[in-house]
Amino acid sequence: MKKPLLAALGALVITGTGLAAPAVAATAPSPGTVAAAKAPATVQAVTFAGTVSLSNCSGSVVRLPDSADDDPALVMSNGHCLETGFPAAGEVIVDQASSRTFGLLNSAGTRVATLRASKIAYATMTDTDVSLYQLTTTYGQIKSSYGISALTLNDTHPVAGTAITVVSGYWKRTYACAVDGFAYRLKEGEWTWKDSVRYTSACQTIGGTSGSPVINNATGEVVAVNNTGNEDGGRCTDNNPCEVDESGNVTVRAGINYGQETHQIPACFGLDSKLDLSASGCALPKP
């Protein structure tokens, strides 16, 4: 995992041993990409409101389509961004105590509050790369205290060609591009992820953007969580994921970045933000 793993290893982007901060939020799309030279009119509506900064990564306060205001709020990031280190391939973490803090950002990217976790509700790097922290505050309390609403997780599969924005609370930068397509399997080192979102080349995300919400510009809803990219053309190694199709053929796309779909998450949470991996339709990996 290029940007994800380096970011989690003590935020190497800051120490100078990894990637450096970009001069601009996003690069222009190369000719022939889907990344739309014409940005959709709604792109300005995508702001930093509801995103958070972690010590080593990015994240966001997210709610399910049917969450209630008095439900404990959830913060989503990557599994590899956990304060306890990377989960091993096949490992699933459920209901683990945590007091981790997150910096809540407003629409301008200004930190307005510190939120605290009560536990890691769910985390894994198997099939997907996600962590979901349950907070000590509710959605309603965050809204009434800071005027900030959680981002809603879309519960349908994303569509190729959709204009998206990756919003990094860590760097307070955005990256605009489009969904280029999907990788049947994305393999990086010991980890393998299923049905990953491939971005068009305009989203040149970097270390520290790991865990950023990937937002559908038209709806404002979250369709994926940013997690990795092929840094220098390596084949299926750390920092250089490769795509593997249903026949086992391997494709390496140097400089291309990826996110993990989040539409499967809502089916696994019920009332009061309670995780239920046995619920009908829940396809997240189980311990």
Side-chain angles (χ1 to χ4, degrees):
M1 274 135 281
K2 174 182 90 178
K3 47 198 95 34
L5 297 190
L6 288 184
L9 287 172
L12 297 184
V13 289
I14 294 178
T15 64
T17 56
L19 299 171
V24 294
T27 58
S30 57
T33 68
V34 188
K38 296 181 180 178
T42 55
V43 71
Q44 289 86 355
V46 177
T47 72
F48 294 99
T51 62
V52 300
S53 58
L54 285 67
S55 57
N56 56 356
C57 289
S58 300
S60 57
V61 181
V62 296
R63 66 186 302 153
L64 316 174
D66 58 355
S67 290
D69 285 349
D70 61 356
D71 288 346
L74 299 171
V75 161
M76 180 178 71
S77 188
N78 285 146
H80 76 257
C81 292
L82 291 177
E83 65 270 40
T84 52
F86 307 151
E91 182 179 3
V92 175
I93 297 166
V94 172
D95 291 336
Q96 178 175 295
S98 173
S99 58
R100 192 171 194 179
T101 58
F102 312 91
L104 177 67
L105 306 185
N106 65 13
S107 60
T110 301
R111 181 171 178 152
V112 296
T114 298
L115 304 176
R116 185 175 296 276
S118 61
K119 66 179 179 180
I120 301 168
Y122 182 87
T124 191
M125 287 178 66
T126 299
D127 294 352
T128 185
D129 183 8
V130 69
S131 59
L132 290 152
Y133 290 82
Q134 183 172 302
L135 302 184
T136 58
T137 46
T138 67
Y139 295 112
Q141 288 170 333
I142 293 172
K143 176 67 174 177
S144 63
S145 297
Y146 313 110
I148 294 174
S149 299
L151 300 174
T152 299
L153 293 174
N154 189 293
D155 58 4
T156 59
H157 193 284
V159 177
T162 299
I164 55 174
T165 301
V166 180
V167 186
S168 171
Y170 184 92
W171 289 114
K172 300 178 178 59
R173 296 179 183 272
T174 62
Y175 303 80
C177 58
V179 176
D180 183 59
F182 306 93
Y184 174 72
R185 296 290 184 269
L186 192 66
K187 180 173 175 54
E188 181 170 345
E190 68 177 272
W191 298 279
T192 299
W193 304 303
K194 296 179 178 179
D195 199 21
S196 303
V197 176
R198 181 195 317 116
Y199 311 147
T200 50
S201 59
C203 277
Q204 290 296 303
T205 48
I206 63 169
T209 64
S210 294
S212 299
V214 180
I215 298 175
N216 180 327
N217 292 348
T219 66
E221 295 184 333
V222 178
V223 296
V225 57
N226 181 62
N227 85 307
T228 193
N230 187 290
E231 184 175 346
D232 53 23
R235 181 184 173 95
C236 314
T237 59
D238 289 353
N239 308 329
N240 290 289
C242 63
E243 297 184 20
V244 183
D245 69 16
E246 295 175 81
S247 300
N249 300 309
V250 174
T251 300
V252 173
R253 302 179 190 270
I256 294 298
N257 300 299
Y258 301 87
Q260 299 306 310
E261 296 171 8
T262 52
H263 65 90
Q264 69 275 37
I265 293 173
C268 302
F269 282 83
L271 294 174
D272 300 322
S273 302
K274 184 173 177 57
L275 178 71
D276 183 2
L277 295 177
S278 65
S280 175
C282 177
L284 288 176
K286 299 172 177 57

